[in-house]
Amino acid sequence: MSSPCLSSILTHANRTMYQTGIADVRPQQPSVLPSINTLQISSSAYSPGQWYRHINPYCWTADNVLEWISDHVETTKFDASTLSLAYCAMDGPALCQMNLEEIILVFGTQLGLHLHQSLEEHKTKFELSGPELSETCQLLDNFLDNLNFPLLSTIKFGEAEEAVNKREFEYRDDCNFTSLAVEPKTPLGDSEYLSDSEYSSSSNSGTFDSSSFDSLESGSGESDPEFCYPPISKVHIKTEKGESRLKRPRGRPPKLSREHTSSIYDNQKKKKHAPRGTHLWEFIRDILIHPERNQGLMKWEDHREGVFKFLKSEAVAQMWGQKKKNSSMTYEKLSRAMRYYYKREILDRVDGRRLVYKFGKNSSGWKIEEIGMGM
DNA sequence: CCTCACTTTCCTGGTT
DNA sequence: GAACCAGGAAAGTGAG
């Protein structure tokens, strides 16, 4: 259940950090989750007393739960004197474990029904985010960590600004991800073939080093054996100049066992019938529908029409590669996959505009009505 | 084991 | 010349 929690944290963290007009950021807020007061003060989007609409109930603190209860006590004109505060000392996860009977037992029929209905509504609302989005959030989290940015899941509200200052983090909208590459890294085993720059005109030497994603996942700096292309199927070709060169065969090299890799994907692997991995277009969509999370990677050109643009194409490609455990993913390859969506009408062509795509009639989940931008 | 959908990789040629 | 776009071809992956 980290996704919705992370999503709310992300949302507020970004609001706190990037809205320069907000001057009353609380520097010493002790809670990981924003306090009710902080939310009310720092975000005009939240009307007082309605903060819980924007936070996953599973992420509510005991204080949050108490606030939620008292809000309902007020609206139902319930006699709060009959309530024991001891019943209200549970946090969000504990609250979410309760069924209707238990809630009624604790809060009585009148208030209990009201609370249960409200709770179910909030739970349902945040469950819509789905596991794919959770993964995307995890990737974004890793991505930000890679940028020496305070992990969103660890940001304490109000401390973000301080953290940014301490780390001298210089994130701006025009942040150049490609400049973050530590070393131009030849994909493992690629020395068997031509280097990226040799065999592909589109591969850029300054590509964002996704190996840092790998190290985040594996917990070590060691190379992921999965990306060791076996030294087979070498093809010698003659260039125009006549020299014999090694050329990679067409198609993708076979994957090696993932036995020794540990990652956030392990859970998925353990499932009997793992759901098909998130499709590329869904991955893109998930980044887009939460612009406050995408850190300037992509943006809507025309949300109503489904037109969007890559701002950091290589960075998005690296994130996709990270998700698919493929350190050699590039925008060139990603865009090829995108173009295949034209045929299936998941994407529509946008002529004459670079890095601009449009969702087609066979895509879903991005429309303003679908994602409820009013929240 | 096979099929199929999806994705990745390579490539050539064109455009911005 | 670099970056991007378009799309054919071949092949890997995983679900069913």
Side-chain angles (χ1 to χ4, degrees), chain A residues 205-294:
Chain A
S205 57
T207 294
F208 184 87
D209 183 10
S210 69
S211 63
S212 43
F213 282 134
D214 299 333
S215 61
L216 270 171
E217 287 192 352
S218 64
S220 79
E222 286 180 16
S223 307
D224 190 337
E226 184 182 348
F227 302 119
C228 297
Y229 296 140
I232 54 171
S233 309
K234 291 182 196 174
V235 179
H236 287 269
I237 57 165
K238 290 247 178 185
T239 63
E240 289 171 19
K241 292 171 187 170
E243 69 259 29
S244 182
R245 300 167 64 191
L246 280 176
K247 186 187 176 185
R248 287 177 69 152
R250 275 179 173 255
R252 49 194 297 191
K255 272 193 174 178
L256 293 183
S257 167
R258 289 182 181 177
E259 256 181 356
H260 305 296
T261 63
S262 70
S263 78
I264 58 172
Y265 303 102
D266 283 356
N267 289 338
Q268 189 175 321
K269 200 176 70 181
K270 282 171 192 164
K271 288 177 186 168
K272 225 177 181 181
H273 286 291
R276 202 174 183 86
T278 305
H279 295 161
L280 173 59
W281 71 269
E282 293 170 314
F283 173 78
I284 297 297
R285 178 201 61 192
D286 289 345
I287 293 176
L288 275 164
I289 63 177
H290 293 281
E292 76 280 5
R293 288 182 194 154
N294 83 35

XYZ file of all heavy atoms in Angstrom, chain A residues 205-294:
730
model
N 26.073 9.125 -25.692
C 27.063 8.754 -24.694
C 26.746 9.338 -23.337
O 27.229 8.880 -22.328
C 28.437 9.231 -25.148
O 28.397 10.612 -25.374
N 25.941 10.364 -23.310
C 25.633 10.999 -22.033
C 24.351 10.506 -21.424
O 23.774 11.165 -20.588
N 23.938 9.359 -21.851
C 22.686 8.828 -21.342
C 22.705 8.693 -19.830
O 23.692 8.332 -19.241
C 22.429 7.441 -21.974
O 22.227 7.640 -23.353
C 21.225 6.776 -21.364
N 21.581 9.005 -19.249
C 21.418 8.873 -17.817
C 21.799 7.467 -17.403
O 21.376 6.499 -17.987
C 19.949 9.124 -17.475
C 19.683 9.111 -16.015
C 19.829 10.267 -15.275
C 19.297 7.949 -15.381
C 19.567 10.263 -13.923
C 19.050 7.949 -14.034
C 19.181 9.104 -13.315
N 22.643 7.370 -16.423
C 23.172 6.073 -16.022
C 22.178 5.307 -15.175
O 22.083 5.482 -13.987
C 24.459 6.287 -15.221
C 25.078 4.965 -14.843
O 24.621 3.932 -15.360
O 26.010 4.988 -14.042
N 21.482 4.422 -15.814
C 20.449 3.696 -15.095
C 21.020 2.624 -14.203
O 20.295 1.990 -13.463
C 19.474 3.066 -16.078
O 20.104 2.032 -16.774
N 22.308 2.404 -14.253
C 22.867 1.392 -13.365
C 22.666 1.788 -11.919
O 22.657 0.968 -11.025
C 24.354 1.214 -13.642
O 25.042 2.407 -13.353
N 22.497 3.072 -11.727
C 22.242 3.523 -10.365
C 20.873 3.055 -9.911
O 20.638 2.827 -8.744
C 22.323 5.039 -10.294
O 21.681 5.619 -11.397
N 19.950 2.922 -10.857
C 18.659 2.337 -10.517
C 18.885 0.916 -10.067
O 18.333 0.457 -9.099
C 17.751 2.297 -11.748
C 17.129 3.614 -12.072
C 17.130 4.074 -13.365
C 16.551 4.383 -11.084
C 16.524 5.267 -13.671
C 15.944 5.580 -11.388
C 15.934 6.021 -12.688
N 19.703 0.216 -10.801
C 19.953 -1.183 -10.480
C 20.549 -1.319 -9.095
O 20.181 -2.176 -8.328
C 20.908 -1.807 -11.512
C 20.306 -1.754 -12.903
O 19.065 -1.733 -12.996
O 21.078 -1.722 -13.865
N 21.497 -0.454 -8.812
C 22.132 -0.568 -7.512
C 21.136 -0.258 -6.414
O 21.211 -0.796 -5.322
C 23.323 0.374 -7.426
O 22.907 1.707 -7.583
N 20.203 0.578 -6.713
C 19.174 0.872 -5.735
C 18.341 -0.365 -5.463
O 17.964 -0.649 -4.343
C 18.246 1.968 -6.271
C 18.655 3.390 -5.949
C 17.780 4.357 -6.725
C 18.577 3.662 -4.475
N 18.085 -1.084 -6.516
C 17.244 -2.253 -6.349
C 17.990 -3.416 -5.731
O 17.487 -4.117 -4.888
C 16.701 -2.693 -7.708
C 15.645 -1.758 -8.216
C 14.930 -2.361 -9.392
O 15.368 -3.411 -9.877
O 13.933 -1.786 -9.831
N 19.190 -3.615 -6.180
C 19.902 -4.795 -5.730
C 20.624 -4.563 -4.417
O 21.016 -5.489 -3.747
C 20.922 -5.208 -6.790
O 21.888 -4.194 -6.932
N 20.778 -3.308 -4.086
C 21.429 -2.996 -2.845
C 22.925 -3.142 -2.919
O 23.611 -3.145 -1.908
N 23.454 -3.280 -4.093
C 24.889 -3.343 -4.238
C 25.298 -2.616 -5.488
O 24.512 -2.314 -6.354
C 25.347 -4.791 -4.325
O 25.118 -5.278 -5.625
N 26.561 -2.324 -5.572
C 27.025 -1.620 -6.749
C 27.385 -2.565 -7.863
O 27.851 -2.150 -8.909
N 27.163 -3.824 -7.632
C 27.551 -4.800 -8.632
C 26.637 -4.748 -9.827
O 25.484 -4.394 -9.756
C 27.522 -6.201 -8.018
C 28.678 -6.430 -7.081
C 28.630 -7.806 -6.477
O 27.909 -8.647 -7.008
O 29.319 -8.021 -5.469
N 27.196 -5.143 -10.920
C 26.420 -5.121 -12.144
C 25.397 -6.230 -12.124
O 25.605 -7.300 -11.583
C 27.351 -5.305 -13.338
O 28.383 -4.369 -13.273
N 24.309 -5.934 -12.728
C 23.242 -6.900 -12.832
C 23.597 -7.916 -13.909
O 23.740 -7.587 -15.060
C 21.948 -6.170 -13.203
C 20.749 -7.081 -13.100
O 20.920 -8.311 -13.175
O 19.657 -6.560 -12.952
N 23.727 -9.157 -13.532
C 24.123 -10.175 -14.509
C 23.118 -10.320 -15.629
O 23.431 -10.847 -16.673
C 24.203 -11.457 -13.677
C 23.386 -11.180 -12.467
C 23.491 -9.710 -12.212
N 21.905 -9.853 -15.365
C 20.884 -9.991 -16.384
C 21.273 -9.287 -17.663
O 20.872 -9.659 -18.743
C 19.586 -9.389 -15.866
C 18.457 -9.572 -16.813
C 17.222 -8.911 -16.264
O 17.237 -8.542 -15.101
O 16.266 -8.778 -17.022
N 22.062 -8.273 -17.524
C 22.367 -7.472 -18.687
C 23.657 -7.881 -19.373
O 24.168 -7.202 -20.224
C 22.399 -6.004 -18.302
C 21.113 -5.574 -17.708
C 21.054 -5.081 -16.413
C 19.933 -5.726 -18.424
C 19.840 -4.704 -15.876
C 18.715 -5.350 -17.883
C 18.670 -4.843 -16.596
N 24.197 -9.025 -18.954
C 25.374 -9.537 -19.641
C 24.912 -10.275 -20.883
O 24.399 -11.376 -20.813
C 26.143 -10.497 -18.740
S 26.774 -9.717 -17.274
N 25.107 -9.660 -21.999
C 24.724 -10.338 -23.221
C 25.688 -11.483 -23.455
O 26.888 -11.323 -23.402
C 24.794 -9.377 -24.407
C 23.839 -8.249 -24.304
C 24.226 -6.976 -24.680
C 22.550 -8.418 -23.817
C 23.350 -5.913 -24.604
C 21.672 -7.358 -23.727
C 22.073 -6.102 -24.121
O 21.227 -5.060 -24.040
N 25.163 -12.645 -23.706
C 26.040 -13.774 -23.963
C 26.808 -13.543 -25.245
O 26.253 -13.025 -26.212
C 25.077 -14.960 -24.093
C 23.765 -14.355 -24.451
C 23.749 -13.001 -23.826
N 28.049 -13.917 -25.251
C 28.873 -13.679 -26.438
C 28.592 -14.664 -27.534
O 29.439 -15.437 -27.930
C 30.297 -13.832 -25.890
C 30.145 -14.787 -24.755
C 28.778 -14.555 -24.173
N 27.382 -14.649 -27.990
C 27.018 -15.564 -29.066
C 26.492 -14.775 -30.248
O 26.236 -13.596 -30.161
C 25.926 -16.553 -28.620
C 24.733 -15.771 -28.064
C 26.459 -17.536 -27.616
C 23.505 -16.602 -27.798
N 26.331 -15.461 -31.309
C 25.734 -14.897 -32.503
C 26.453 -13.647 -32.991
O 25.850 -12.731 -33.494
C 24.268 -14.547 -32.254
O 23.603 -15.622 -31.706
N 27.739 -13.601 -32.799
C 28.463 -12.466 -33.337
C 28.421 -12.532 -34.854
O 28.540 -13.580 -35.458
C 29.924 -12.502 -32.894
C 30.107 -12.245 -31.415
C 31.589 -12.271 -31.121
C 31.846 -12.405 -29.640
N 33.258 -12.585 -29.335
N 28.256 -11.405 -35.439
C 28.199 -11.347 -36.890
C 29.256 -10.374 -37.379
O 29.321 -9.247 -36.949
C 26.806 -10.873 -37.359
C 26.769 -10.801 -38.864
C 25.727 -11.808 -36.833
N 30.082 -10.858 -38.232
C 31.069 -9.963 -38.816
C 30.477 -9.300 -40.042
O 29.917 -9.954 -40.906
C 32.327 -10.755 -39.206
C 33.124 -11.170 -38.029
N 34.139 -10.405 -37.522
C 33.031 -12.270 -37.220
C 34.670 -11.028 -36.464
N 34.013 -12.151 -36.270
N 30.598 -7.994 -40.108
C 30.099 -7.297 -41.278
C 31.201 -6.462 -41.878
O 32.160 -6.107 -41.223
C 28.913 -6.366 -40.934
C 29.333 -5.365 -39.848
C 27.717 -7.162 -40.503
C 28.372 -4.212 -39.707
N 31.057 -6.182 -43.096
C 32.016 -5.327 -43.786
C 31.418 -3.943 -43.904
O 30.291 -3.782 -44.325
C 32.305 -5.890 -45.185
C 33.098 -7.191 -45.169
C 34.459 -6.948 -45.775
C 35.320 -8.221 -45.728
N 36.679 -7.967 -46.210
N 32.163 -2.958 -43.495
C 31.685 -1.601 -43.632
C 32.025 -1.095 -45.021
O 32.710 -1.762 -45.793
C 32.338 -0.676 -42.602
O 33.733 -0.653 -42.880
C 32.123 -1.187 -41.201
N 31.512 0.091 -45.291
C 31.787 0.679 -46.593
C 33.281 0.859 -46.788
O 33.796 0.796 -47.887
C 31.092 2.026 -46.721
C 29.582 1.868 -46.849
C 28.877 3.206 -46.754
O 29.539 4.231 -46.943
O 27.666 3.202 -46.498
N 33.960 1.127 -45.677
C 35.395 1.348 -45.771
C 36.157 0.044 -45.909
O 37.362 0.028 -46.115
C 35.892 2.106 -44.544
C 35.384 3.539 -44.499
C 35.716 4.162 -43.159
C 35.063 5.527 -43.018
N 35.153 6.057 -41.652
N 35.449 -1.061 -45.754
C 36.081 -2.329 -46.017
C 36.573 -3.055 -44.779
O 36.896 -4.231 -44.854
N 36.588 -2.386 -43.598
C 37.103 -3.090 -42.425
C 36.034 -4.028 -41.875
O 34.840 -3.772 -41.983
C 37.565 -2.114 -41.340
C 36.492 -1.333 -40.667
C 36.419 0.072 -41.232
O 36.746 0.275 -42.404
O 36.015 0.959 -40.467
N 36.507 -5.112 -41.319
C 35.583 -6.064 -40.727
C 35.256 -5.619 -39.318
O 36.129 -5.327 -38.532
C 36.235 -7.444 -40.702
O 35.351 -8.394 -40.176
N 33.975 -5.575 -39.000
C 33.564 -5.157 -37.672
C 32.622 -6.177 -37.073
O 31.969 -6.935 -37.765
C 32.865 -3.804 -37.728
C 33.711 -2.720 -38.283
C 32.848 -1.510 -38.587
N 32.249 -0.926 -37.382
C 31.304 -0.009 -37.440
N 30.848 0.424 -38.575
N 30.822 0.497 -36.330
N 32.557 -6.147 -35.752
C 31.605 -6.990 -35.064
C 30.278 -6.262 -35.022
O 30.195 -5.094 -34.719
C 32.077 -7.254 -33.631
C 33.130 -8.322 -33.463
C 33.536 -8.374 -31.997
C 32.628 -9.654 -33.928
N 29.243 -6.975 -35.313
C 27.931 -6.359 -35.297
C 26.995 -7.198 -34.454
O 27.010 -8.416 -34.507
C 27.393 -6.264 -36.719
C 26.102 -5.503 -36.829
C 25.575 -5.605 -38.241
C 24.234 -4.933 -38.357
N 23.641 -5.109 -39.676
N 26.183 -6.512 -33.686
C 25.207 -7.248 -32.894
C 24.164 -7.834 -33.815
O 23.760 -7.231 -34.784
C 24.528 -6.309 -31.905
C 25.429 -5.914 -30.779
C 24.723 -4.958 -29.898
N 23.621 -5.631 -29.180
C 23.189 -5.226 -28.002
N 23.721 -4.208 -27.419
N 22.213 -5.855 -27.413
N 23.710 -9.020 -33.488
C 22.641 -9.604 -34.289
C 21.354 -8.832 -34.091
O 21.193 -8.111 -33.107
C 22.523 -11.018 -33.722
C 22.993 -10.890 -32.316
C 24.081 -9.839 -32.354
N 20.441 -8.991 -34.989
C 19.136 -8.357 -34.839
C 18.399 -8.945 -33.655
O 18.685 -10.036 -33.223
C 18.303 -8.574 -36.104
C 18.578 -7.558 -37.174
C 17.749 -7.860 -38.384
N 17.886 -6.778 -39.346
C 16.943 -5.875 -39.559
N 15.829 -5.916 -38.877
N 17.126 -4.912 -40.444
N 17.434 -8.235 -33.221
C 16.633 -8.717 -32.110
C 17.329 -8.565 -30.784
O 18.477 -8.153 -30.712
N 16.609 -8.878 -29.760
C 17.175 -8.699 -28.427
C 17.919 -9.930 -27.970
O 17.563 -11.044 -28.326
C 16.088 -8.313 -27.442
C 14.903 -9.190 -27.508
C 13.741 -8.601 -26.776
N 14.041 -8.460 -25.353
C 13.099 -8.176 -24.480
N 11.865 -7.995 -24.855
N 13.408 -8.065 -23.220
N 18.962 -9.715 -27.208
C 19.707 -10.845 -26.674
C 18.885 -11.576 -25.629
O 18.047 -10.971 -24.976
C 20.936 -10.195 -26.048
C 20.509 -8.819 -25.726
C 19.486 -8.440 -26.760
N 19.103 -12.888 -25.463
C 18.324 -13.632 -24.484
C 18.617 -13.167 -23.069
O 19.746 -12.804 -22.759
C 18.778 -15.072 -24.698
C 20.130 -14.958 -25.296
C 20.090 -13.719 -26.133
N 17.606 -13.217 -22.257
C 17.769 -12.824 -20.864
C 18.414 -13.945 -20.089
O 18.165 -15.121 -20.343
C 16.413 -12.518 -20.241
C 15.988 -11.086 -20.416
C 14.813 -10.817 -19.514
C 14.450 -9.348 -19.543
N 13.290 -9.080 -18.700
N 19.232 -13.558 -19.106
C 19.784 -14.562 -18.210
C 18.871 -14.669 -17.005
O 17.975 -13.873 -16.800
C 21.190 -14.153 -17.776
C 22.214 -14.159 -18.900
C 23.577 -13.815 -18.336
C 22.237 -15.485 -19.622
N 19.125 -15.672 -16.212
C 18.299 -15.906 -15.036
C 18.299 -14.707 -14.115
O 19.268 -14.012 -13.948
C 18.824 -17.115 -14.275
O 18.236 -17.168 -13.010
N 17.164 -14.483 -13.514
C 17.042 -13.393 -12.546
C 17.246 -13.896 -11.130
O 16.974 -13.202 -10.173
C 15.657 -12.756 -12.648
C 15.483 -11.963 -13.908
C 14.118 -11.336 -13.906
N 13.923 -10.580 -15.121
C 12.790 -9.973 -15.427
N 11.776 -10.028 -14.603
N 12.682 -9.303 -16.552
N 17.697 -15.143 -11.044
C 17.815 -15.790 -9.735
C 18.486 -14.922 -8.689
O 18.054 -14.835 -7.556
C 18.617 -17.073 -9.881
C 17.762 -18.300 -9.835
C 18.610 -19.544 -9.952
O 19.826 -19.442 -10.136
O 18.034 -20.620 -9.843
N 19.569 -14.298 -9.080
C 20.361 -13.608 -8.077
C 20.064 -12.130 -7.981
O 20.758 -11.406 -7.297
C 21.839 -13.811 -8.371
C 22.199 -15.257 -8.461
N 22.095 -16.097 -7.389
C 22.595 -16.008 -9.509
C 22.461 -17.322 -7.756
N 22.761 -17.282 -9.041
N 19.077 -11.719 -8.682
C 18.744 -10.309 -8.569
C 17.584 -10.153 -7.618
O 16.634 -10.908 -7.644
C 18.358 -9.714 -9.929
O 17.180 -10.378 -10.383
C 19.469 -9.883 -10.933
N 17.676 -9.190 -6.773
C 16.555 -8.879 -5.911
C 16.087 -7.493 -6.243
O 16.874 -6.604 -6.474
C 16.963 -8.934 -4.449
O 17.811 -7.862 -4.154
N 14.820 -7.360 -6.300
C 14.285 -6.073 -6.690
C 12.866 -5.937 -6.220
O 12.274 -6.837 -5.647
C 14.325 -5.922 -8.203
O 13.267 -6.657 -8.770
N 12.341 -4.756 -6.516
C 10.945 -4.518 -6.173
C 10.030 -5.394 -7.001
O 8.862 -5.490 -6.739
C 10.563 -3.056 -6.398
C 10.828 -2.675 -7.856
C 11.299 -2.165 -5.451
C 10.296 -1.308 -8.235
N 10.572 -6.051 -8.006
C 9.739 -6.865 -8.863
C 9.641 -8.288 -8.345
O 8.911 -9.088 -8.888
C 10.288 -6.865 -10.289
C 10.376 -5.470 -10.811
C 11.588 -4.807 -10.858
C 9.215 -4.790 -11.178
C 11.646 -3.508 -11.303
C 9.266 -3.499 -11.622
C 10.487 -2.858 -11.698
O 10.551 -1.573 -12.129
N 10.392 -8.609 -7.315
C 10.374 -9.964 -6.807
C 8.984 -10.386 -6.386
O 8.571 -11.509 -6.594
C 11.346 -10.107 -5.633
C 12.771 -10.190 -6.155
O 12.945 -10.201 -7.392
O 13.693 -10.233 -5.337
N 8.275 -9.479 -5.767
C 6.945 -9.805 -5.306
C 6.074 -10.245 -6.475
O 5.315 -11.185 -6.377
C 6.306 -8.595 -4.623
C 6.974 -8.324 -3.296
O 7.581 -9.219 -2.734
N 6.873 -7.121 -2.816
N 6.227 -9.543 -7.557
C 5.425 -9.850 -8.724
C 5.779 -11.229 -9.251
O 4.938 -11.983 -9.668
C 5.684 -8.796 -9.785
C 4.752 -8.868 -10.961
C 5.015 -7.707 -11.890
O 5.274 -6.599 -11.454
N 4.989 -7.961 -13.167
N 7.075 -11.537 -9.188
C 7.548 -12.794 -9.714
C 6.984 -13.965 -8.920
O 6.732 -15.026 -9.456
C 9.069 -12.810 -9.667
C 9.695 -13.834 -10.597
C 11.199 -13.728 -10.572
C 11.780 -14.204 -9.267
N 13.249 -14.085 -9.242
N 6.786 -13.742 -7.629
C 6.349 -14.822 -6.767
C 4.887 -15.183 -7.014
O 4.458 -16.261 -6.678
C 6.546 -14.416 -5.308
C 7.994 -14.529 -4.861
C 8.163 -13.913 -3.481
C 9.630 -13.734 -3.136
N 9.819 -12.823 -1.998
N 4.149 -14.277 -7.599
C 2.743 -14.545 -7.813
C 2.575 -15.716 -8.764
O 3.320 -15.882 -9.716
C 2.046 -13.316 -8.376
C 1.874 -12.220 -7.348
C 1.235 -10.999 -7.992
C 1.191 -9.850 -7.010
N 0.837 -8.600 -7.690
N 1.544 -16.497 -8.494
C 1.295 -17.656 -9.325
C 1.026 -17.227 -10.755
O 1.620 -17.709 -11.701
C 0.090 -18.429 -8.768
C 0.340 -19.921 -8.729
C -0.843 -20.606 -8.102
C -0.604 -22.107 -8.017
N -1.757 -22.784 -7.424
N 0.095 -16.335 -10.881
C -0.196 -15.797 -12.200
C 0.033 -14.300 -12.159
O -0.897 -13.527 -11.974
C -1.631 -16.103 -12.605
C -1.805 -17.529 -12.974
N -1.236 -18.058 -14.108
C -2.447 -18.544 -12.352
C -1.554 -19.348 -14.165
N -2.275 -19.659 -13.120
N 1.284 -13.943 -12.297
C 1.610 -12.524 -12.240
C 0.864 -11.791 -13.341
O 0.817 -12.251 -14.481
C 3.106 -12.337 -12.406
N 0.266 -10.679 -12.987
C -0.412 -9.909 -14.015
C 0.602 -9.435 -15.027
O 1.759 -9.203 -14.694
C -1.002 -8.736 -13.243
C -0.168 -8.630 -12.014
C 0.287 -10.011 -11.706
N 0.172 -9.324 -16.233
C 1.064 -8.848 -17.265
C 1.605 -7.492 -16.837
O 0.870 -6.681 -16.312
C 0.303 -8.709 -18.580
C 1.237 -8.733 -19.739
C 0.494 -8.755 -21.038
N 1.465 -8.859 -22.099
C 1.941 -9.995 -22.529
N 1.554 -11.112 -21.976
N 2.833 -10.026 -23.493
N 2.885 -7.304 -17.070
C 3.507 -6.072 -16.635
C 2.821 -4.868 -17.236
O 2.167 -4.957 -18.245
N 2.938 -3.798 -16.566
C 2.350 -2.571 -17.067
C 2.842 -2.318 -18.484
O 4.005 -2.445 -18.776
C 2.771 -1.398 -16.181
O 2.428 -1.701 -14.854
C 2.073 -0.146 -16.618
N 1.947 -1.982 -19.329
C 2.346 -1.654 -20.694
C 2.975 -0.270 -20.713
O 2.739 0.556 -19.843
C 1.141 -1.715 -21.624
C 0.566 -3.096 -21.745
N -0.698 -3.335 -22.196
C 1.109 -4.304 -21.464
C -0.932 -4.635 -22.208
N 0.154 -5.239 -21.758
N 3.743 -0.067 -21.748
C 4.444 1.204 -21.868
C 3.487 2.387 -21.826
O 3.733 3.374 -21.127
C 5.256 1.220 -23.166
C 5.909 2.551 -23.530
C 6.851 3.018 -22.443
C 6.637 2.421 -24.852
N 2.395 2.265 -22.561
C 1.484 3.408 -22.607
C 0.861 3.668 -21.240
O 0.572 4.815 -20.891
C 0.402 3.209 -23.676
C -0.638 2.173 -23.397
C -0.610 0.861 -23.730
C -1.879 2.379 -22.711
N -1.745 0.229 -23.303
C -2.559 1.127 -22.682
C -2.499 3.471 -22.122
C -3.803 0.958 -22.087
C -3.745 3.311 -21.534
C -4.392 2.061 -21.515
N 0.701 2.609 -20.450
C 0.152 2.784 -19.105
C 1.189 3.443 -18.189
O 0.853 4.271 -17.341
C -0.284 1.438 -18.539
C -1.462 0.845 -19.277
C -1.745 -0.598 -18.865
O -0.785 -1.385 -18.779
O -2.915 -0.922 -18.646
N 2.408 3.053 -18.393
C 3.507 3.645 -17.633
C 3.571 5.148 -17.915
O 3.678 5.967 -17.001
C 4.803 2.953 -18.045
C 6.056 3.562 -17.479
C 6.428 3.318 -16.167
C 6.867 4.370 -18.259
C 7.593 3.862 -15.650
C 8.028 4.916 -17.756
C 8.387 4.667 -16.453
N 3.491 5.487 -19.194
C 3.514 6.886 -19.610
C 2.318 7.632 -19.014
O 2.448 8.722 -18.466
C 3.468 6.980 -21.158
C 4.713 6.336 -21.768
C 3.325 8.421 -21.615
C 6.011 6.978 -21.411
N 1.166 6.988 -19.116
C -0.051 7.594 -18.589
C 0.054 7.867 -17.097
O -0.334 8.941 -16.619
C -1.243 6.664 -18.857
C -2.562 7.172 -18.320
C -3.542 6.031 -18.159
N -3.070 5.017 -17.207
C -3.619 3.816 -17.064
N -4.623 3.464 -17.829
N -3.139 2.951 -16.173
N 0.601 6.892 -16.376
C 0.698 7.042 -14.931
C 1.607 8.204 -14.535
O 1.409 8.843 -13.503
C 1.189 5.736 -14.299
C 0.121 4.644 -14.354
O -1.054 4.983 -14.605
O 0.462 3.474 -14.159
N 2.614 8.430 -15.330
C 3.468 9.580 -15.056
C 2.685 10.866 -15.335
O 2.701 11.802 -14.551
C 4.741 9.545 -15.920
C 5.634 8.373 -15.515
C 5.520 10.849 -15.804
C 6.866 8.204 -16.392
N 1.970 10.841 -16.438
C 1.268 12.048 -16.875
C 0.115 12.462 -15.974
O -0.096 13.654 -15.746
C 0.746 11.842 -18.292
C 1.733 12.133 -19.416
C 1.228 11.528 -20.709
C 1.986 13.619 -19.556
N -0.627 11.480 -15.489
C -1.827 11.855 -14.736
C -1.500 12.402 -13.364
O -2.381 12.861 -12.667
C -2.839 10.689 -14.623
C -2.230 9.516 -13.855
C -3.315 10.267 -15.989
C -3.214 8.364 -13.662
N -0.240 12.353 -13.006
C 0.183 12.982 -11.756
C 1.353 13.910 -12.065
O 2.492 13.599 -11.750
C 0.553 11.950 -10.712
C -0.625 11.159 -10.248
N -1.520 11.650 -9.339
C -1.080 9.939 -10.615
C -2.476 10.750 -9.140
N -2.227 9.705 -9.909
N 1.063 15.037 -12.713
C 2.127 15.944 -13.150
C 3.003 16.422 -12.007
O 4.188 16.709 -12.226
C 1.358 17.105 -13.783
C -0.024 17.006 -13.237
C -0.276 15.564 -12.990
N 2.443 16.472 -10.823
C 3.255 16.937 -9.702
C 4.304 15.910 -9.329
O 5.221 16.165 -8.586
C 2.370 17.274 -8.500
C 1.830 16.079 -7.729
C 0.622 15.449 -8.414
O 0.265 15.872 -9.524
O 0.040 14.520 -7.821
N 4.120 14.681 -9.859
C 5.072 13.622 -9.535
C 6.119 13.434 -10.614
O 7.123 12.796 -10.384
C 4.339 12.281 -9.400
C 3.503 12.169 -8.178
C 2.910 10.786 -8.204
N 1.834 10.686 -7.254
C 0.849 9.852 -7.363
N 0.773 9.044 -8.385
N -0.084 9.804 -6.469
N 5.822 13.917 -11.796
C 6.711 13.490 -12.874
C 7.965 14.329 -12.996
O 8.798 14.075 -13.864
C 5.945 13.354 -14.183
C 5.763 14.659 -14.924
O 6.636 15.524 -14.913
N 4.653 14.819 -15.574
